[in-house]
Every structure is written in structure tokens, then in C-alpha cells.
Amino acid sequence: MFDQRSYKLLEELIKHDKITKQEILIQLNLSERQLMYDLEKVNEVLTVNDLPSIKISNQVIIIKKQLKTLFKTNNLDLNANQFVISEQDRSYLIYLYTFIRREPISNYHIQLLLGVSKNTALNDVKRLKEISKNRNVDFIYTRLDGYHFVGTELDKRRLAIYCVNHLLSQPLGKEIIVLALKSWGKEEVLVETQQIIDQYLESKELSLVKSRKTEMIIYLTLIKVRLLKKELSFKSLEKQMLEGQSMFKHGKALSRKLFPGGGEEESYFVTIQLLMTLHVVPISENPALEVLAGQIMDEFEKNTLLPIEDKEFLKQSLYNHLVPAFFRISFEIPLFNPLTDRIQTEYTELFQFVKRSLTPLTLWTGKEISKDEIGCFTILFGGFLDKGKKMNSEKITGLIICSNGVSSSIMLEAQLRDLFPDIRLLRVSNRDRLEDIPTDTYDVVFSTVRVTSVKPVFMVKPLLSDVEKNYLIRSVLQQFPRLNERNVSVDQLMELIKKHSEVKDEYKLYSEIVHLFYAQNKIKGMDKPMLSELLTKETIHFTEEKLDWRNAINKASQPLVESNKIQKQYVDAMIKKVEEVGTYIHIGKGVAIPHARPENGVNQLGMSFLRTKSSVLLLNQEEHKIDIFICLAAIDSEAHLKALAQLTKILGDNELLDSLKSAETAEQVIEIIKKGENQ
């Protein structure tokens, strides 16, 4: 019998033509014992269904083509009784089961639904009560009505949406949702709802983000099945906002098809779903949100001190992401982003800068922005920061097809460009069909959804792990050997190292080798020293000279030039950037952080500090008096944000800043910085 971990193993194995035991251990964070245990479970179910088992030979996992074909074409017909649901997901299943109940529910109903004991069912109910309470819904039991929910209809629906989103991110998640429908004999409503929505969208030529559309169909199916609906009670201002959207007429028409006699309120709910799912929204539709996108972009530029080169591209991308996010946040529709924890870990500084830059969105909506929403915006900005790297060759053209929306597609493009600098990458809009694109215009396809092409197609995720990057590189190089400039694989190197030494952290070693081999532009940034390591006696100095702002930047950067961390052209670029962009390097309180782009002459990560006795007028403007110049030479945006985040922490502390301004020796400055680092 499958549990969700063993099913996840099967899902992962099926994706690959060839994968090593070592790769799958790292990818799924399993011990060798767990892998063998899960593989045994998988093979038991496969044998029961007369399917070929999965074997390991010479450290390579072998999957028969028949099994892959059945799985990829969704013909792997597994009975719901053949999988075990995790504790957390059982609670979400109970919620959806109760949300669409056709009769009063007792604990016995829940036992039958889950196939568990009475005590286990009671524990699952207890867990659900906590989940519901945190989202303004009470899950209670009475003799007359059985288990049911108390709260507003909108809050109940918001929690149902959260449950669906969470389950869809898990192995067997869709099967669990369908199980709730099957339990009431309503699984056919899912097919009916999909047909109604697909027919309507096609007739009106509306384009939706595919992954969001799948979620929307499930939400509306559950509402369609639900018997005990109450009034939604939208506020008059909320109704006016929705009525002002051209999408409202579609929400109204689709609502009548889905909920005959369901009342006017459902039109507003369906409109919200459509607005959250649209692929592209014309700027003329929401000019105010274009203004908001500009404000967020300005905040990001101000907070990160990264002048944005292609503002129009970022603004358009930000607007397309902002429209669904704005309506989600305004109507408190929960977003479940399974990548949030990983984004916060891998893009720690960027996440915090993006969070601060979203202040205008908080003010506009009057609502707190969840970390899941911030994570999505972080993906958007992260992909943009890596955009625009020059390619050595354009001999091979690759198409990117991403069903997860604009922010994910930009992030995916940035990762692929980093891995394959010799491939020219083009993103394909949801509105464009692959079959309509002439095959002589591209050589390879990278897609997050299954597509068919005569050219090689590689399935990818919007955010790739190091194992996935290595596997993808290996697969692409098999198809395009001329891209291969390396004769040694990551797996070969791992085996050689393990043969002659003891490896304490295989995952970390594997990750760093992948970066070393395939991300040369980022390996420099892997070592991110503390400020106290960057600002040393040699790079901290003071002056009593009266300087103009150009001479001040020249003098401040001199230690970096002398140590060959930067070239002289980098100093000229810093000055030129101020002349072109303005006083953006002034972060307030008399502190300026001159910097330019890495390609303008950075040899190595570095930082220098200059305190002037007489204030320097930046661009000769009285309102921009500077007495501390901190020159920053970063080798990429990641290192830039890391250093800036540490600086911001110290400079944001008035006591520490006053101490810096009164310091008279390099030793005193270093001591103050170390104090700030330890706070």
C-alpha cells in the first residue's frame, strides 16, 4: 500500500530516463534505509496491479518504459484503497468532506472515510478544529447537525480553498480531493464543471494560467456540490470594485451556467476566481494597479540600491503578477506556496528586501501580506535580477513553457540561462500553442507541463533543486553534445571523493559541486563573508580634506583599487551611475553606498569605508549631505543584497550609527560593526 512518501518516490523516478541511487537520496532527502523501504512499498503496489517493478542495478535505478508510459498518460489506475493519507492531509480531507456533506456527519462517517480507528479519527478532528479556528471557522458537533462549521460563508470558502491548494501540492493530492467527492457520489460534477468552464473560456477566447485554472475548477466544483450555502455578504465597496472590471460580465455569465438560481452574490465570487487566474490583463483595465506596480518597483530600487535597467519589462511583468495578487489579498483568498520555505532559505536577503518593497501594496489593500505572497513576488524579482546575462552563442534556441504564471516563468528562465549560457531562451505565452510555432524556429523545449513536439522536450519545475539541475544538464548534453565543455560528471566526482575520504554532508558537497560545474557566475558568491571580514584596517580610512562628491567616491574606493578587488573603470562607473540616475546611493542619515554593476570592473567581492570630517554634497544638493561613504563591489546581485542587508541592520540602529560617525580609528569602526553583527 502506498503512503504519500512512497508515492512521491514513484513520481520522482518516473520523471527521469535514468537516475542514480545517490541522486534520488539527495533529491528526496532520504536515508538509504528509507529509500529501500519506500521502493519495496512501490513494488508491492505495482505487482498487485500486474505492472513491472522498479530495480536498482550498479547504483542506477531502472524503470521499464511501459510503467513510464502508463504514468505519463495518466493510465496508471490505482484504487484509492491502495494509498495511505498523512495525518495533516487527513484533516484537510475531513474539512472538504464536511464542506460538501449531504447529511449529518458522525465520527463513524469519518472513520469509514479515512479507514482509521475511532481514536485516530478523533485526533484528526481535534487537529482540524485547530486549523479551522486559526482561519475564523469553528468546527463543532451537535446531536442534531453532526459535525459542521460555524462562521461566515466566505471564511468557510477561504479555508476550503486553502485545503485544496495544500493538497494539490502533495503527492496524491488530487486523488484525495476526488475521494471527498466520491464519498458523496459527486465525482462526476468535477468533469461537468470543467466542461462548462472550458466551453465558456473557449467561446470568449479567455486565457488563464493553467495551474490556477485547475485549482479554480476544483473550488467551483466544491461550491457547486455544497448544499448548505449561505449569503456571501460582500461589502458595497467590494462589489463596486468587482463591477468595475470587464471580467465581471464573464463572472456573471459563468455563474449562471454553474449555479442556476444561485443568486447574484455568486457572480462576485466567480469574478474573483477569474481575476486571480487570468494570464494577462491589459493595463487599460487597471491603470491604478500599473501605478502601484511603479511604486513597488521604486521601493525595490530604493531599498536594494540596484538601479533597474529594463524598467518597462519589470513593470509589465510586475503588473501581470500584481493583478491576481491584488484581488487575492483584497478579498483575503489564501495562497499556498509550497516553495515559500525554500525561497526564504535560498533567497534570504532578497525575500526581506521584497517584503519591505511591498509596503505600497499593504497600504493600498489595508491587509497584511502573507509570506506565501511575498515568496511569489521574490521569485519574480529574483528572476529579473538574473536577467540580461550575455550569451556566448545563439546556435541553439530553447522554448520555455511555464503554466505557473509570469513570476515563475521569469525565475525558470533565469535558472536555465545560468545552466545553459549557450542556449538562446524564449518564453512562450499561455496564449501561444506549441503546435502553432514552426519547428524550424527552435531546437529544444523546457516545459513545466506535458507537451508534445518533434524536438526534444524536458520537463522542469519553476524552481530547480541542485539534483534536478544536474540531471537536466546531463539529459540536455546527451541531446546536444556540442554544449559539453566538461568531461567529468558530478556523480563521478562524488563517487571518487567518497572513495578516498569521509563525507560529512553529502547534500552540501553535491550542491557545491553542481554550482562549481554549472554556475560559474554564482560560485564566487557562495562565500559571503561578514561585514567585519570585508571592512578591515586596510579598507577603512578617514579624511579631513574638503571634497566634492566625485573626489569623495574616488578616495573612498582607493583601497579596493590598490588591492585589485576592482578596476579603475569601476570607480568611473560608480560616478557615472550617480550622474545618470541621481542620488539613489544616499540611503539616509548622511550615509552613501556608491556601487556599479559587477561587469563594470569587479574582480572580487569587496567593501571600503570613508568618513569625511566635512560633509560632502552629493550632486551638490544641500538635502544630500554625506559624511560616510561605503563603496560596495559585489560580484553578483546575491552578494550585493547580502552585504547591503548586513549594512542596513547596522545603519538602521541610531546608536551604532552615531558611534560610527564619532569613531576615530579603524579599530573602533570594526568593533562597532562586530557589535551590530552580534545583535
Side-chain angles (χ1 to χ4, degrees):
M1 183 179 287
F2 278 129
D3 58 18
Q4 286 172 284
R5 194 179 74 188
S6 59
Y7 189 79
K8 186 177 181 180
L9 171 64
L10 176 60
E11 279 186 315
E12 194 63 41
L13 292 176
I14 291 293
K15 292 176 189 173
H16 306 288
D17 294 325
K18 177 183 175 184
I19 190 165
T20 65
K21 183 176 167 184
Q22 180 67 32
E23 284 177 323
I24 204 68
L25 289 174
I26 295 173
Q27 175 67 10
L28 298 181
N29 194 24
L30 297 173
S31 67
E32 188 160 347
R33 184 177 177 182
Q34 287 173 322
L35 172 63
M36 300 313 294
Y37 177 74
D38 290 347
L39 192 56
E40 186 178 341
K41 280 187 173 184
V42 169
N43 282 333
E44 281 177 5
V45 177
L46 294 177
T47 302
V48 167
N49 287 274
D50 295 322
L51 294 168
S53 59
I54 297 170
K55 295 182 169 57
I56 300 177
S57 176
N58 295 323
Q59 299 300 306
V60 175
I61 299 175
I62 300 168
I63 308 104
K64 291 286 181 70
K65 191 173 182 180
Q66 175 196 355
L67 182 58
K68 289 185 182 181
T69 302
L70 287 170
F71 199 96
K72 289 178 180 178
T73 55
N74 295 318
N75 289 325
L76 189 59
D77 187 20
L78 299 175
N79 191 293
N81 295 325
Q82 291 178 326
F83 58 84
V84 177
I85 305 171
S86 69
E87 289 183 359
Q88 185 83 351
D89 291 351
R90 287 202 303 266
S91 296
Y92 294 131
L93 172 56
I94 295 170
Y95 184 89
L96 296 181
Y97 175 76
T98 310
F99 184 75
I100 60 172
R101 67 194 177 113
R102 320 296 291 175
E103 61 184 48
I105 296 173
S106 68
N107 197 63
Y108 183 64
H109 283 82
I110 295 172
Q111 287 177 246
L112 288 177
L113 171 71
L114 303 176
V116 296
S117 67
K118 179 180 179 181
N119 285 338
T120 300
L122 288 171
N123 285 332
D124 291 339
V125 165
K126 183 179 178 182
R127 192 180 306 107
L128 177 56
K129 285 182 177 180
E130 288 301 314
I131 294 170
S132 302
K133 192 172 183 180
N134 290 334
R135 294 189 174 270
N136 304 317
V137 176
D138 288 320
F139 185 46
I140 65 172
Y141 177 84
T142 63
R143 290 177 65 89
L144 180 62
D145 295 320
Y147 283 114
H148 61 282
F149 302 106
V150 176
T152 68
E153 179 67 14
L154 261 179
D155 280 333
K156 293 174 189 176
R157 292 190 185 190
R158 288 176 181 127
L159 183 47
I161 288 171
Y162 182 82
C163 292
V164 168
N165 289 350
H166 175 89
L167 288 171
L168 288 177
S169 73
Q170 302 301 306
L172 296 167
K174 189 170 182 181
E175 287 80 358
I176 294 170
I177 295 167
V178 171
L179 181 58
L181 291 166
K182 278 185 177 179
S183 300
W184 296 114
K186 292 294 178 180
E187 64 270 29
E188 79 284 350
V189 180
L190 184 59
V191 178
E192 292 171 6
T193 305
Q194 180 164 350
Q195 288 173 345
I196 292 170
I197 291 174
D198 283 344
Q199 287 170 8
Y200 185 83
L201 294 175
E202 188 174 347
S203 69
K204 303 300 180 183
E205 296 184 346
L206 294 175
S207 175
L208 306 184
V209 175
K210 289 180 182 176
S211 59
R212 298 283 182 233
K213 175 186 164 188
T214 299
E215 294 165 2
M216 181 184 78
I217 289 169
I218 293 173
Y219 307 154
L220 296 177
T221 298
L222 294 171
I223 304 302
K224 194 171 170 62
V225 172
R226 181 166 162 77
L227 284 176
L228 306 173
K229 290 191 278 282
K230 295 181 181 178
E231 284 296 311
L232 288 168
S233 304
F234 287 106
K235 297 172 184 174
S236 58
L237 283 176
E238 292 174 333
K239 288 183 178 181
Q240 288 174 25
M241 181 197 302
L242 294 171
E243 288 166 0
Q245 300 291 315
S246 64
M247 198 52 54
F248 182 68
K249 65 176 181 284
H250 297 299
K252 203 169 184 178
L254 193 52
S255 173
R256 286 174 183 157
K257 291 178 179 294
L258 290 168
F259 312 110
E264 183 188 4
E265 295 285 321
E266 294 295 355
S267 301
Y268 297 102
F269 185 79
V270 175
T271 301
I272 293 169
Q273 299 306 313
L274 289 172
L275 288 167
M276 295 191 313
T277 314
L278 281 174
H279 181 63
V280 175
V281 183
I283 287 178
S284 57
E285 180 76 16
N286 281 289
L289 292 185
E290 184 195 17
V291 173
L292 178 56
Q295 291 177 354
I296 293 171
M297 196 168 65
D298 291 344
E299 282 292 308
F300 182 77
E301 194 172 24
K302 184 176 74 176
N303 289 329
T304 62
L305 299 180
L306 288 169
I308 295 168
E309 303 293 326
D310 191 350
K311 289 193 175 184
E312 280 309 307
F313 173 81
L314 177 57
K315 193 174 185 180
Q316 181 64 57
S317 301
L318 187 54
Y319 171 80
N320 286 335
H321 180 84
L322 185 59
V323 172
F326 177 82
F327 287 102
R328 269 197 310 267
I329 295 165
S330 296
F331 290 94
E332 300 180 52
I333 305 297
L335 173 73
F336 180 80
N337 182 356
L339 298 175
T340 297
D341 290 340
R342 189 172 155 200
I343 291 166
Q344 282 188 278
T345 301
E346 296 184 17
Y347 300 89
T348 306
E349 291 77 27
L350 180 60
F351 184 91
Q352 291 303 322
F353 281 116
V354 170
K355 182 179 180 180
R356 285 165 52 189
S357 302
L358 291 176
T359 301
L361 180 56
T362 304
L363 294 174
W364 275 53
T365 60
K367 305 286 171 65
E368 183 181 351
I369 302 174
S370 71
K371 66 177 185 178
D372 293 294
E373 291 283 3
I374 297 168
C376 288
F377 278 99
T378 302
I379 286 178
L380 175 67
F381 279 103
F384 179 80
L385 290 179
D386 285 335
K387 187 177 174 60
K389 294 171 184 171
K390 293 181 181 178
M391 296 173 287
N392 298 325
S393 167
E394 292 193 358
K395 292 179 181 177
I396 295 174
T397 298
L399 299 184
I400 299 174
I401 300 172
C402 183
S403 68
N404 299 71
V406 63
S407 56
S408 294
S409 65
I410 291 174
M411 175 60 88
L412 177 57
E413 181 185 356
Q415 294 170 92
L416 292 174
R417 188 183 299 108
D418 191 45
L419 298 176
F420 306 110
D422 293 330
I423 296 180
R424 178 172 176 260
L425 296 166
L426 302 172
R427 280 186 285 127
V428 178
S429 166
N430 259 21
R431 292 182 175 181
D432 298 325
R433 297 191 308 170
L434 183 59
E435 54 265 35
D436 295 335
I437 301 174
T439 55
D440 60 353
T441 62
Y442 67 93
D443 304 287
V444 60
V445 179
F446 300 98
S447 178
T448 60
V449 292
R450 291 192 185 101
V451 294
T452 303
S453 173
V454 295
K455 298 296 178 73
V457 176
F458 297 97
M459 292 285 292
V460 291
K461 294 178 182 176
L463 191 57
L464 298 164
S465 70
D466 289 314
V467 171
E468 288 162 344
K469 288 176 184 176
N470 184 44
Y471 179 81
L472 179 61
I473 291 162
R474 195 172 65 202
S475 301
V476 171
L477 294 184
Q478 286 175 353
Q479 293 284 343
F480 303 97
R482 66 183 184 274
L483 292 173
N484 191 5
E485 297 176 356
R486 308 168 183 90
N487 296 316
V488 182
S489 73
V490 173
D491 303 299
Q492 288 173 321
L493 193 53
M494 281 288 293
E495 288 303 315
L496 186 63
I497 293 170
K498 287 164 63 180
K499 182 178 178 181
H500 296 285
S501 62
E502 180 184 350
V503 178
K504 292 182 179 179
D505 189 334
E506 287 191 20
Y507 181 81
K508 188 173 182 182
L509 175 62
Y510 190 98
S511 298
E512 293 197 11
I513 292 174
V514 170
H515 279 278
L516 179 65
F517 270 35
Y518 304 118
Q520 289 293 344
N521 59 321
K522 288 191 175 181
I523 190 67
K524 297 178 188 176
M526 288 179 67
D527 180 26
K528 305 185 193 80
M530 301 294 283
L531 280 181
S532 54
E533 297 174 89
L534 292 172
L535 290 174
T536 63
K537 289 181 183 179
E538 292 73 30
T539 60
I540 298 171
H541 54 150
F542 306 81
T543 184
E544 295 187 2
E545 294 179 62
K546 287 192 174 182
L547 302 169
D548 66 21
W549 67 270
R550 290 182 181 85
N551 288 333
I553 292 177
N554 257 303
K555 192 171 187 67
S557 59
Q558 214 44 47
L560 299 178
V561 175
E562 291 171 1
S563 61
N564 200 35
K565 285 187 169 62
I566 62 173
Q567 301 166 28
K568 180 65 174 67
Q569 69 188 62
Y570 187 77
V571 182
D572 298 334
M574 287 191 288
I575 293 170
K576 185 179 179 183
K577 186 61 70 175
V578 175
E579 290 172 340
E580 291 176 348
V581 180
T583 58
Y584 76 101
I585 63 170
H586 183 197
I587 65 171
K589 301 178 183 178
V591 179
I593 304 181
H595 62 282
R597 295 186 66 82
E599 59 266 29
N600 291 139
V602 177
N603 297 327
Q604 187 181 342
L605 178 64
M607 192 179 287
S608 58
F609 175 103
L610 172 68
R611 205 198 74 221
T612 62
K613 187 168 185 180
S614 302
S615 293
V616 175
L617 301 183
L618 191 59
L619 282 180
N620 303 316
Q621 296 177 13
E622 279 289 335
E623 62 269 32
H624 294 291
K625 290 183 177 180
I626 310 297
D627 47 23
I628 290 181
F629 286 85
I630 302 174
C631 284
L632 174 59
I635 39 72
D636 57 26
S637 58
E638 188 178 354
H640 173 102
L641 294 177
K642 177 76 173 179
L644 186 60
Q646 294 181 47
L647 264 178
T648 303
K649 179 182 174 184
I650 292 170
L651 300 177
D653 186 314
N654 288 331
E655 185 179 332
L656 289 176
L657 181 57
D658 289 342
S659 299
L660 277 179
K661 291 195 172 188
S662 60
E664 296 182 355
T665 65
E667 288 83 0
Q668 289 176 335
V669 171
I670 292 169
E671 186 180 339
I672 294 162
I673 288 170
K674 284 183 176 178
K675 182 180 178 182
E677 288 174 342
N678 294 326
Q679 284 185 351

